[in-house]
């Protein structure tokens, strides 16, 4: 893992912990250097590349990932998720802890 990825890891782990009871949200990580992915949907111009994939209104709708290019804090990640989530029920209103890179 690169230094930026290692620095971000505890922040997205904190977000994952806050959202662990929310069945409509999944926090996942993937090593883009060791896995194949759809380069048309997910562009990795640098690492870590962060994307949010909102729920589709129906299974025929096109997957439309949203690139995350904001502050690398748990609070900013949570705000981004709250803004873009299709199903907001259960998402906490504010992050409990903020840390900056």
């Amino acid at each position: 893992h690169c230094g930026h990825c290692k620095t971000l890891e505890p922040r997205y782990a904190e977000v994952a912990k806050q959202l662990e009871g929310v069945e409509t949200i999944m926090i996942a990580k993937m090593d883009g250097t060791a896995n194949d992915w759809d380069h048309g949907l997910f562009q990795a111009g640098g690492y870590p590349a962060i994307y949010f994939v909102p729920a589709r209104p129906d299974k025929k709708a096109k997957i439309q990932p949203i690139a995350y290019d904001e502050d690398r804090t748990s609070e900013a990640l949570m705000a981004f998720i709250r803004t873009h989530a299709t199903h907001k029920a259960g998402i906490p209103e504010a992050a409990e802890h903020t840390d900056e890179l």
Side-chain angles (χ1 to χ4, degrees):
H1 296 288
C2 71
H4 293 291
C5 296
K6 288 180 182 177
T7 302
L8 182 61
E9 189 163 358
R11 291 165 177 109
Y12 72 73
E14 180 178 329
V15 170
K17 184 176 181 178
Q18 290 182 51
L19 295 171
E20 68 186 352
V22 182
E23 292 185 18
T24 58
I25 302 284
M26 176 190 301
I27 304 295
K29 70 177 182 175
M30 181 190 81
D31 183 343
T33 63
N35 294 279
D36 293 329
W37 75 90
D38 185 332
H39 294 272
L41 286 176
F42 301 96
Q43 311 267 324
Y47 296 101
I50 302 171
Y51 282 90
F52 181 79
V53 182
R56 297 175 286 167
D58 63 65
K59 298 297 179 192
K60 294 178 184 177
K62 182 179 177 184
I63 296 171
Q64 297 185 348
I66 302 167
Y68 179 83
D69 191 26
E70 299 181 25
D71 290 338
R72 303 298 175 118
T73 64
S74 56
E75 183 176 73
L77 285 164
M78 285 294 293
F80 184 81
I81 291 168
R82 277 192 299 276
T83 297
H84 295 288
T86 302
H87 307 286
K88 299 182 188 310
I91 299 174
E93 286 299 316
E96 296 173 9
H97 181 267
T98 301
D99 44 12
E100 307 216 2
L101 295 179

